[in-house]
Every structure is written in structure tokens, then in C-alpha cells.
Amino acid sequence: MAVAHAGDVAGHGHSHGPVRSEPRSPWLHGSWLRAIWVSFLFAFIAIGVSAFIRYLLGFPLHGAEMQEVAATFGLTFWAIGFTVGIGCFDYWWGYIIGSPNWVQEDHSAHGAYSWRDYFKVNTDHKVIGIQYLVLTFIFFMIGGALAEGVRAELASPGTQYFSPGTYNGLFSAHATLMIFLFVIPSFAGIANFVVPLMLGAQDMAFPRLNALSFWLLLPGGLIFLASFAVGPFAAGWTNYAPLSVHAPIGDTFFTIGVQFAGASSIATAVNFLVTIVTMRAPGMSFWRMPLLVWANLATSSLVVLGTPFIAGSQFMVLYDRVMHTHFFDPAAGGNVILYQHIFWFYSHPAVYIMMLPGFGIISEIISIHSRKPIFGYRLIAFSTVAIGVLGFTVWAHHMFVSGMAPWLRIPMMATTMLIAVPTGIKIFSWVATLWDGVIHLTTAMLFALGFIFTFVIGGLSGIFLAVLPVDINVSDTYFVVAHIHYVLFGGSVFTIYAGLYHWFPKMTGRMYDERLGRLHFWLTFVAFNATFMPMHWLGLQGMPRRVADYDPRFGTLNFIISIFAFVLGASTLVFLYNVIHSWARGPIAPANPWRALTLEWQVSSPPPIFNFDEPPQVVGGPYEYGVPGARHAIVTVHEPDPQFTGVAPATAVAGSTPQREALLTAMKHILVVANQTVAGDALIDALRQRAGAEPVRVTVICPQNDPGGDWVTDDRQVAQATRERLDQTLARLHEAGVEATGEVVDRDPYTAVMDQVESSDPPAEIIISTLPQTRSGWLRRDLVERVRHDAKIPVEHVVVDVHSNPAAGA
Amino acid sequence: MSAIKVGIVAIIVGAIGTVAILVTPSWFPVAAAVQAHRQDDLYLALMIMSSFIMAVVTVFLVYSVWRWRASPDDMRDGPPIHGNTTLEIIWTVVPTIIVIAFAVAGGVVLVKNEQTTSQELVVKVTGEQFEWTFKYPNGVVTHELVLEKGRPTEFAITSLLHDVIHSFYVPQFRVKADAVPGIMNYTYATPTRVGKYVLICTELCGAGHSLMRAPVQVMEPADFTQWLATQKSEQSKGGA
């Protein structure tokens, strides 16, 4: 959660206009409720219009073709409607139509002040990063469950549990979710959180586009899952024509889901490219960027250049299915292999999209946790770019047996072989970084080491696959399944885990449990190798992939593999428990638990809402460990207002008791009701004004509980924070000569006010201080109006726009 | 230990791995074609190379972690080593040479594997959901692939025009080629061993993909000639 920063109010360097007012009803302002009805409304209208056009053209309104048309338009507009309803376009729309309520950015949708903000459109890159990570982890679990279904079926020869169509759907959806809804967006999530901080920026270049990128992902994933209701897409995540063109309706769901996942990815990549190129802190040349930034620069380039090709390939399949074009129909002059060329032109760079950010993460972790500069920084940076560029020259190694032009196979073998070289350079550099270091075996480091081990195996099996005669032999067998899981699980997933552990303190402000982390690592490492290593042998022996039934002599080995696959699945529960428990109750993390030099560690854990009070000055490289006095950057933190330092107790008026009481009765008694805003300038100014006009005494109450009375706060830390704010306020009032007392009350605000009003010492006036309209739960519950109506004394409403430690309710 | 000594340990471990690889009896199914023998040799060479690379990386990694592991309260930094140009050149150039060598070897094997001769037997292979059909030069059509030992064979593979992609794979021959509607695709094998093998479809082709197989049999030349003649006469009479 955010940290109180007195300078924050004006800390982001510009002033705001009036606060934009939003409709009160959640059905009408950007929210889940609105997303639900707008998405279905868009879908119904789209289906209706397309049905009407079919009717006018004399086409049947029932049957397979109508289903395809309905699915195509319905799903597409459903997903678009979802992003509209949740609020991604409100700001732009208000501008376009010239809405009188439109306000140039007031940051009302920026930053997490309560857990609820994570479920809304939010423009803070840190919030979006966490949204990505939580959503993608959910899809990781779902994709993993699908894999467990596959392994259950494969545990014995013959078919046991699933019809062939469903089984084919299981592995198709498994791969699709893992690639598009887990690995790729997970890296986007980590980078979203970390990269702007590493660059010394206050946010990404396009925060609203960033939010849209996230909200495009969820409907894409839901479309994939929804296909199970109509018969899942079952042509593999590769969706080859002609099988995909002939497949039932579920395949259309795949082709459309890919568009949204792809759009999400492309928008994020554009954002990263602009941010990295234009928003680096002063002094941060390219050669002083951390390697995670290099990795994201290369990855984002790949995404932008490559993803349109998979979108195109799926559009062509969709058109062949719905509009009866013949792109891939040989009987009508189409070209079957064309699909594979277009598809793999993206999907090979896609594997580098899924690896390069992981490499960046590993570079950070190995350097920091062995307290040494990364070995061969420039060569690693060059290798990253080289892999990105070369990655576009190797796609046809997925097509060696496809029947494509035979001459193409040899050059593709050559380029595929050459890509091993920059990858090898990185591996050797990481090991050399460890050499003679001061190695701390934190969980992040364990996963980094495990990654090196498994990724070398995956990389070596890749060299095997590059050699044409070997590839011809093992293509489409379990050898390939082994290879891809070694590089994607042992590669990408291990690096994701490593990154999550490494940046967990920064993201959540808490430390995770190291013992559980170690347990998680070893369970994962052992179960992973036991599951996938034997698959190399199975493939060599001739077990094909994407089958439910196989030669019975492979039965025992498949059974053992399945057992370990379930252990691997269970290992994720250890991680889940550690994350949830630590996030809620883990020890508070310091700003820099790893004593690292990069910029994200130079701000609090979690960082302030706008990251830096002013742009840091970068003066050296990011990995200068062991160099005495070396600094990467100088970060300036604005000192909090001296008036706020120290806690002053509530004041009392000097003098004897009867004198005091007489004095108190003569003063105007003002009741101030404030919670999060209790230290706000606007409120204190209002009170000073009153005190300037006549003698006043102020009772300040800070109601802790939710204004709707829905839930009770019993959080001592929150109450303590509120007490501190209150004491600061009372101290300031005392210095301004205002007599004030106050207490934190464990009640909802309406009850707390009415208690005071009906007490033996009622106030003459009430001042209710709240957050702005868009953020105030009190205003959403009409607190001010109700008190005005019921208390029958003057009630003033003060709005305070303050960034402060959120408490319950207000 | 100095890096050189660790390196020597790594090489020894790699050598041990090599021995283990070479004595392991059953990496592959039986090799029943000339192409299979070539692939197996290439594969073994790759495994030996991998054993050394894996050994080098793992031994240096494990040694480093063991030797320089620090307790959590150790607040030192390591020495500020940024790189070593000689080392970086070596580990760029040597892998490049290795991969180029394997690429060349692979290319040579590929060309040899696909050489055609004039005595070739050409078998037309057609895949469809979910069955294989084989057509011999004399017009014989079967669902079982029967071949002649020692005879170079070309497989002319396709799929029915309105069907999907399948893939023709005989593990014992180590050859594979996709069956694609609308085009002809070719692969080659010279069987070297009499016996019964299996043809497996290795491209996802729908609900029956798991079960799309065909028996393969290699016969002595005399037996094969007889089989072909028998099939021909049976099919001419209207049986099959």
C-alpha cells in the first residue's frame, strides 16, 4: 500500500482542474457491473445486426454457418464491450464528445488506496503490474489443471477419461493459456511494475493504454475458456489449416481469443518501447540500463513486429471458416503450407518473447545475489539484441518435415544453429558471474540456478532439433514435448518464479517465507525434471505427441511421469500459500532488502504512488558491486514537512477545572469528522479560518469502519496509522492556537457523528472531511446529506485530495 | 581450486557421461534403414558434445555455489570483475565452431539420406482421416506398407484433397514427411533389416490421430517380389 508523503500532494509537478464527477450508480460508471451489461449488450447488437444482414441477403438464420457468424461477431463485440464497460475508454470518450464533465487528468484512477482499486481500471503501472501477475497466475493454475487432465489420460495406455475431441481440447487449451495468458503477460506484469522504477520514471509513457492492455487480456482468456462450453478448440495451439478450417465452432473461439491476447501484448510492447527510449532518468545511457530493461526493449520489438502475423494467420483461418475464402484450400487454388509460414513467423519469435525477459530477470538476480557485477554486461546486451534479430530468421525449423521448399531447410538449419551462440554466451556469463562471488542462496537465487541447469538442457535439445536429420526423426514426438517444456518451464517459469520472489518485497512491502520458498523450489525442481526428462527417451522411441493412446510398452514410464506431473502441480500450492500468507501477514520489508543498486530499490517498499519525488540522476552502471563508493544513481527524497515529524499528544487548556469548563462552554464546539483526510491541508485551513473568526474548540473523530457498516476493521496497524495522523493534526491545530481533542472511534461514520450530536456535549457545527467524489466511500453512501438531514445543525463538507496511507472505509 | 582445475574436473565428468551414453543399450528403436544408422551416429555425436557442455556448466555452477556460498549476515561484496575479453572471445568462437560443424554434418547426412537412384522403388502414400493407403508401381493398393530389404525406396506422400495434414513416420527408419493435401512430399529410406515395424501418424489430424497407424514389413528381395506379384493377381481378380 502507499506510503504517506507530505510532498506528494503537489509532488508530481503539476496542478489539477476541478474533480470530474461520476455517476453515482455502479451500473453507470466504469465498473464490473457496467462491464457485464455493456459487453452482453454489444454482443447482442452485433449478433442481431449480422443476423439481420443475413436475413436481408436471404441466408438461413440457423445452422452451422449462422453459428459461426454469431460466434465471430458476438465474441468480438462482447470482448470490446467488456473493455468499454469496465471503463478503459471513458477518458478518451469524454474528450471526443466534448463532455462538460471531462477533466484533464486528475489522477483519480491512479494508484492503489485500497484492495478494491486492483479490480478497477487503474493507470498506475504498479497496480497494473500486480493485476497482470495475479490474473496470469490464475490462468497458470487453469492451464496446469488442463495439463493434469492430459497426464491423467496418459497415465495408462488406451483411452480412459476423455472423448478424443475433449482430450485434444485439453492440450490445445493448455498450451494456448500457458503461452498467451501466462508466460507472455506474466513477463509484461513484472516489467510493468519494475521497468519504470528501474528507469527512474514516474510511470509508463501511456498509463491509460497500459490499463487497456491489461483489460484486453481478460476477455481474451475468457473466450478461450468459453470454448469448452461449445466443444473446445482442438487443433492444437498451432491451429494448422486445414484441420482448423474444418473444425467445429470452438476453433472460432480460438481465432478470436488470439486477437485480444495479441492486441493486449502489442499495446504493452508499444508502451515499453516508448518508455524505455524516452523516459530514462538523466544520465541513464543505454549502457547504464539494467539488463532487464535491455531484455524488455528487445522483447517489445519482437512483439510489435511479430504478433501481427499470428493475428493475420488466425484471421485467414477465420475467413476460410466463416466467409468461405480459400486461403488454405488446395482444391480452390489455396496453399496449405502458407498457414504454417505465417504462423511460425510469429510463433518462433514468440518463444524468444517468452525467454528474453526471463534472461533479463536472471541477470538481475544473479548479479545482486552474488554481489558481483554481471560478467560481460555489453556482450549480454548484444546477445539479447542478436537473439531478437536472429529470431526472425529461423521460423521454418518448425516446418522441416512440412513439405515446404526443400532448399529452405539448409539455411534455416544454419540460422537455428547460430542462435545457440548468443544464448550460450549468456549462460557462460551467468556462471562466470557466480564464480568468486558472495553467493546468497535466497529463493530467487535458487530458481535462477535451477533455471541455468534446466535451460542448458533445453538449449542442448534445441541444438539436436536444429540438426535436420535428427529433427526429421523426432519431430512431433515426445522429444519435442520434452524440449519445449525444458525451455518454457525450466526456462520461462523458473525465471518468473525467481522474479516474483526477488521483487515480492518491493511489490507488497512484505517479506515472503524463505523456508517455504526453498521447499517450493526443491519440489518444483525435482518434480519438473522427473516429469520431463524421460520424455526425451519416449520421443526417441517413437511415441508421438498429441495422442491419448500409445504403444503399451511405454505404459510404466508414462505412469511414473504422470505421478510426478501431479507432484509438480501440487508444488504450485506451496507457492500460492507463501504468497497469500506473506502478503497478508509477512514481516514488513525494508526498502532494499537485497542491498541492490538499481533504482527500484532506492524507494520504499512498496514505492510511493508517483515513485520518485524528482527524477533521479544516474551516475554509473547498475551492477557496480565490489567497487568502493560506486553509485548507480542519486535519488532525492523530499523531506516531509517538519511540522509532521514527531507525535504530539492531544492538547489541553491550562488552568483550573471550573475555569476550564466555563471557557470550554463559551467556545463554539465544532465536530470534525475525518478519517483518511484528517491531516489534510484543506481541513486544517478551514479550522484555522473558524478560529480566526471566534474562539472554537474542536473535537475530531476518526471513524474507522466502513460507512455501509458492511465490515469491521480490527487492524491495529491501520488504527495506529490513523492515530498518528490524528495526533499530527491536533499538534498543528494547537500551534495555530486552536483548542482540539480527538479520538479514533471504532464505528462507522454516521453512527459516530450521531453519537456526538446526541451526547451531553453536542457540537454547534459539523465539518465532514472526505476524499474527492470519485474515491470517497463516505460520499458514495451519501454521508454528508444524511447527517445534514438528521443532525439539524450546520454541516460543512470539505474535500481533501491527499495521498495517504489508506484505512478502512473512507 | 583454480578455474583450470575445475575445468579439468568438468572434462572428466563429461567423459564419464560420454561413457555412460555409449554403453546405454537402448536409446533408439532398432535401426532398420541406412538412414537410421546415419541419424543414430549423428545423434550420438550430439549427445557426447552435450555431455561435455552440460558437465562444464554444471560443474562450474555447483563448484561456485559450494565454494562461495555466504551466510545471510555476510555483508561483503564480491570482487568487481566486469568481464574477461579472452574468455568471452573463446566462448563465442568455440560454440560457433561446434554448431557450424554439426550443421555441416547434418547437411551432409541429409543429402546422403535423400539421394535418389534409378533402381528406386516408388511407393505412393496417401493419408486420410484416419488411414494410410499405399500404391505400388504395378498398381497394387494396400493398407500395409511392405518393402524390400536393400532397395532404395522413395515415398511420394500426400493427403486427400479435402482432408487434413497427416505425417508419415516410421521410427525404425528415422524418416518423416508430412502428408499435405494438394502437394506431393517426399522422403527416402533404404531398409536394411527384415522385420515388422510401424508407421505412425505424427501430425494432429483430428479425433482419430492417436490410432492412425499402419503396419510396415521389410522382406527379403525374393519374398518381396513374390508378395507384390501375389497382391497384383489378387487385386486383378477383384479381391484385395
Side-chain angles (χ1 to χ4, degrees):
Chain A
M1 300 294 176
V3 167
H5 244 306
D8 249 332
V9 177
H12 42 282
H14 53 273
S15 61
H16 296 302
V19 172
R20 162 172 78 236
S21 71
E22 276 197 329
R24 297 266 175 91
S25 166
W27 291 97
L28 294 174
H29 67 243
S31 68
W32 278 87
L33 287 175
R34 195 178 79 173
I36 291 171
W37 71 259
V38 171
S39 58
F40 282 99
L41 178 68
F42 274 44
F44 285 134
I45 293 176
I47 294 174
V49 167
S50 48
F52 182 61
I53 294 175
R54 283 180 67 83
Y55 166 72
L56 291 178
L57 292 170
F59 295 149
L61 294 181
H62 56 271
E65 192 178 89
M66 180 67 224
Q67 279 184 3
E68 288 286 342
V69 170
T72 303
F73 288 100
L75 291 171
T76 303
F77 282 90
W78 177 83
I80 294 174
F82 183 91
T83 59
V84 169
I86 197 90
C88 292
F89 293 94
D90 287 356
Y91 180 85
W92 296 317
W93 179 250
Y95 176 84
I96 288 171
I97 64 171
S99 160
N101 286 335
W102 187 83
V103 170
Q104 192 159 31
E105 187 56 70
D106 62 359
H107 300 308
S108 58
H110 192 94
Y113 296 90
S114 90
W115 61 269
R116 280 185 259 249
D117 289 319
Y118 288 96
F119 289 85
K120 300 184 198 164
V121 174
N122 198 294
T123 52
D124 184 344
H125 70 99
K126 303 183 288 295
V127 172
I128 294 172
I130 292 180
Q131 288 174 318
Y132 264 113
L133 289 171
V134 172
L135 183 68
T136 55
F137 198 78
I138 292 172
F139 276 103
F140 178 49
M141 307 283 279
I142 298 175
L146 293 168
E148 304 294 12
V150 172
R151 282 315 321 175
E153 180 61 66
L154 285 173
S156 3
T159 49
Q160 288 85 38
Y161 307 115
F162 300 105
S163 71
T166 306
Y167 179 81
N168 291 356
L170 288 179
F171 62 71
S172 303
H174 161 74
T176 304
L177 290 180
M178 287 303 195
I179 292 170
F180 296 111
L181 269 300
F182 173 54
V183 176
I184 295 179
S186 226
F187 283 130
I190 293 177
N192 240 307
F193 193 102
V194 178
V195 167
L197 287 162
M198 269 187 172
L199 295 176
Q202 291 193 309
D203 207 294
M204 298 273 274
F206 306 116
R208 271 182 286 270
L209 183 67
N210 206 5
L212 176 62
S213 304
F214 171 73
W215 290 104
L216 279 169
L217 190 64
L218 175 59
L222 291 176
I223 289 176
F224 291 135
L225 289 176
S227 75
F228 278 88
V230 296
F233 53 92
W237 83 275
T238 48
N239 217 34
Y240 275 16
L243 182 64
S244 54
V245 175
H246 300 170
I249 189 93
D251 205 274
T252 298
F253 282 59
F254 174 81
T255 61
I256 292 179
V258 166
Q259 308 302 335
F260 287 93
S264 164
S265 191
I266 293 174
T268 299
V270 168
N271 224 332
F272 276 117
L273 286 172
V274 177
T275 306
I276 293 171
V277 172
T278 65
M279 290 175 69
R280 283 164 288 133
M284 188 179 279
S285 67
F286 275 93
W287 294 122
R288 286 179 178 167
M289 290 194 318
L291 285 167
L292 179 66
V293 181
W294 274 104
N296 279 99
L297 186 62
T299 304
S300 299
S301 310
L302 292 179
V303 170
V304 161
L305 293 171
T307 312
F309 284 87
I310 193 175
S313 66
Q314 299 316 308
F315 265 121
M316 292 161 86
V317 167
L318 182 65
Y319 291 168
D320 270 14
R321 290 171 61 82
V322 182
M323 294 205 295
H324 309 304
T325 52
H326 301 289
F327 291 111
F328 309 123
D329 179 3
N335 185 332
V336 172
I337 299 181
L338 174 67
Y339 172 85
Q340 295 176 44
H341 280 294
I342 302 176
F343 176 84
W344 286 111
F345 191 74
Y346 161 74
S347 299
H348 190 83
V351 317
Y352 298 118
I353 291 168
M354 293 191 277
M355 267 164 36
L356 290 177
F359 292 166
I361 293 174
I362 295 302
S363 294
E364 299 300 321
I365 289 170
I366 293 210
S367 174
I368 291 172
H369 295 265
S370 52
R371 313 302 309 169
K372 273 185 70 197
I374 193 81
F375 191 100
Y377 167 89
R378 291 207 179 197
L379 202 50
I380 293 186
F382 277 129
S383 302
T384 303
V385 174
I387 290 173
V389 172
L390 279 174
F392 275 103
T393 63
V394 302
W395 79 91
H397 69 224
H398 300 272
M399 297 167 60
F400 280 155
V401 298
S402 66
M404 67 173 180
W407 65 266
L408 190 53
R409 299 176 298 173
I410 302 270
M412 285 284 169
M413 170 168 68
T415 50
T416 305
M417 278 297 197
L418 286 176
I419 269 206
V421 175
T423 316
I425 288 173
K426 293 183 170 206
I427 302 261
F428 301 136
S429 299
W430 289 322
V431 176
T433 308
L434 290 169
W435 182 270
D436 204 4
V438 176
I439 297 175
H440 294 272
L441 286 182
T442 56
T443 307
M445 183 57 133
L446 284 174
F447 272 102
L449 297 173
F451 155 80
I452 292 179
F453 179 83
T454 52
F455 192 77
V456 173
I457 295 176
L460 285 170
S461 63
I463 294 185
F464 281 64
L465 288 166
V467 177
L468 262 161
V470 174
D471 184 272
I472 288 172
N473 183 30
V474 297
S475 205
D476 262 293
T477 66
Y478 257 77
F479 188 92
V480 178
V481 178
H483 165 72
I484 60 186
H485 286 89
Y486 263 88
V487 290
L488 285 176
F489 197 123
S492 307
V493 178
F494 272 41
T495 62
I496 291 172
Y497 277 139
L500 289 176
Y501 280 108
H502 177 69
W503 280 296
F504 186 88
K506 181 57 53 182
M507 292 180 183
T508 64
R510 308 255 181 181
M511 292 302 286
Y512 60 86
D513 184 320
E514 269 295 345
R515 285 170 323 152
L516 281 178
R518 270 199 289 279
L519 174 65
H520 174 225
F521 168 72
W522 285 109
L523 263 179
T524 305
F525 185 75
V526 170
F528 165 78
N529 279 292
T531 303
F532 292 104
M533 182 59 82
M535 291 187 183
H536 293 101
W537 186 84
L538 280 174
L540 282 179
Q541 291 291 322
M543 180 175 171
R545 59 186 290 205
R546 296 171 161 176
V547 294
D549 189 12
Y550 50 82
D551 189 327
R553 70 190 172 102
F554 300 138
T556 311
L557 194 49
N558 266 294
F559 183 76
I560 296 172
I561 290 174
S562 290
I563 299 285
F564 279 108
F566 276 89
V567 174
L568 187 59
S571 74
T572 54
L573 299 174
V574 176
F575 174 75
L576 204 56
Y577 174 78
N578 197 355
V579 165
I580 293 175
H581 188 263
S582 302
W583 204 333
R585 294 197 198 293
I588 302 285
N592 198 350
W594 315 126
R595 297 175 292 125
L597 290 170
T598 42
L599 275 165
E600 78 272 27
W601 300 105
Q602 312 313 320
V603 292
S604 59
S605 296
I609 300 261
F610 286 95
N611 300 347
F612 300 96
D613 291 335
E614 52 183 74
Q617 179 68 36
V618 173
V619 296
Y623 302 111
E624 296 302 292
Y625 303 102
V627 177
R631 305 194 63 171
H632 170 50
I634 299 169
V635 177
T636 309
V637 176
H638 290 168
E639 281 302 315
D641 195 315
Q643 288 181 321
F644 285 94
T645 57
V647 176
T651 56
V653 174
S656 67
T657 312
Q659 219 181 350
R660 181 163 163 251
E661 278 174 5
L663 205 58
L664 288 174
T665 319
M667 291 176 174
K668 182 171 184 184
H669 183 196
I670 299 181
L671 175 67
V672 172
V673 187
N675 187 8
Q676 292 186 62
T677 59
V678 73
D681 284 351
L683 174 61
I684 294 181
D685 287 344
L687 288 167
R688 282 205 193 111
Q689 267 190 332
R690 298 268 186 312
E694 56 176 322
V696 300
R697 58 185 175 93
V698 176
T699 304
V700 184
I701 56 171
C702 297
Q704 283 285 281
N705 284 323
D706 180 82
D710 290 339
W711 44 280
V712 172
T713 298
D714 189 23
D715 189 328
R716 232 162 291 168
Q717 284 200 316
V718 169
Q720 173 72 8
T722 311
R723 179 76 232 182
E724 286 173 14
R725 280 201 302 281
L726 176 59
D727 287 335
Q728 289 163 8
T729 304
L730 296 174
R732 282 179 79 184
L733 288 172
H734 174 64
E735 301 211 359
V738 180
E739 154 85 277
T741 59
E743 58 175 339
V744 175
V745 294
D746 196 18
R747 230 164 277 131
D748 70 278
Y750 177 84
T751 311
V753 169
M754 297 316 288
D755 280 353
Q756 290 286 322
V757 168
E758 286 154 6
S759 74
S760 55
D761 184 20
E765 184 185 341
I766 302 175
I767 299 180
I768 300 182
S769 170
T770 71
L771 291 169
Q773 170 80 35
T774 53
R775 284 212 310 271
S776 171
W778 288 7
L779 291 180
R780 272 199 279 284
R781 296 283 199 304
D782 290 317
L783 178 67
V784 176
E785 301 306 308
R786 285 166 60 205
V787 170
R788 274 200 181 118
H789 185 268
D790 295 346
K792 301 193 175 17
I793 51 179
V795 176
E796 179 177 317
H797 175 210
V798 172
V799 174
V800 176
D801 187 8
V802 69
H803 306 294
S804 65
N805 206 0
Chain B
M1 265 204 280
S2 76
I4 305 282
K5 291 197 192 131
V6 178
I8 291 174
V9 170
I11 303 235
I12 294 173
V13 171
I16 296 174
T18 303
V19 170
I21 287 165
L22 290 170
V23 305
T24 303
S26 67
W27 289 116
F28 315 108
V30 68
V34 162
Q35 286 77 3
H37 291 289
R38 290 191 194 120
Q39 196 271 168
D40 294 357
D41 292 339
L42 197 49
Y43 194 93
L44 271 177
L46 280 163
M47 278 210 280
I48 293 170
M49 178 272 295
S50 303
S51 171
F52 283 102
I53 303 258
M54 195 66 205
V56 165
V57 173
T58 310
V59 167
F60 274 93
L61 188 139
V62 169
Y63 176 78
S64 301
V65 171
W66 170 78
R67 167 90 165 72
W68 287 292
R69 180 178 178 180
S71 62
D73 49 4
D74 185 341
M75 295 287 133
R76 292 174 302 143
D77 276 354
I81 300 170
H82 289 86
N84 178 320
T85 311
T86 311
L87 202 50
E88 292 174 57
I89 290 177
I90 291 176
W91 70 42
T92 306
V93 169
V94 170
T96 307
I97 293 174
I98 294 177
V99 296
I100 290 180
F102 275 106
V104 169
V108 167
V109 168
L110 181 73
V111 168
K112 283 190 188 165
N113 279 357
E114 295 184 346
Q115 257 166 1
T116 58
T117 75
S118 50
Q119 292 93 34
E120 233 163 43
L121 167 67
V122 177
V123 179
K124 292 200 179 123
V125 179
T126 305
E128 64 184 297
Q129 284 172 322
F130 298 99
E131 181 179 64
W132 294 103
T133 310
F134 310 102
K135 188 163 175 193
Y136 288 83
N138 64 355
V140 163
V141 174
T142 66
H143 296 297
E144 183 191 2
L145 181 62
V146 178
L147 299 170
E148 180 184 331
K149 175 179 160 188
R151 176 102 179 265
T153 309
E154 176 186 278
F155 300 97
I157 305 164
T158 188
S159 185
L160 292 182
L161 198 60
H162 296 281
D163 208 282
V164 299
I165 302 178
H166 303 272
S167 191
F168 171 97
Y169 176 47
V170 181
Q172 290 82 1
F173 296 168
R174 323 277 193 264
V175 296
K176 181 184 288 111
D178 281 1
V180 183
I183 65 165
M184 293 302 292
N185 197 5
Y186 300 93
T187 192
Y188 306 85
T190 305
T192 53
R193 186 178 179 279
V194 166
K196 289 200 160 80
Y197 312 114
V198 66
L199 163 61
I200 305 175
C201 176
T202 43
E203 181 58 56
L204 180 65
C205 54
H209 173 59
S210 307
L211 305 167
M212 186 168 163
R213 299 176 171 226
V216 178
Q217 189 170 10
V218 174
M219 297 177 172
E220 295 286 358
D223 295 328
F224 175 74
T225 316
Q226 185 178 25
W227 174 86
L228 203 54
T230 315
Q231 289 294 313
K232 179 73 182 174
S233 62
E234 274 183 16
Q235 286 180 13
S236 305
K237 279 193 230 129

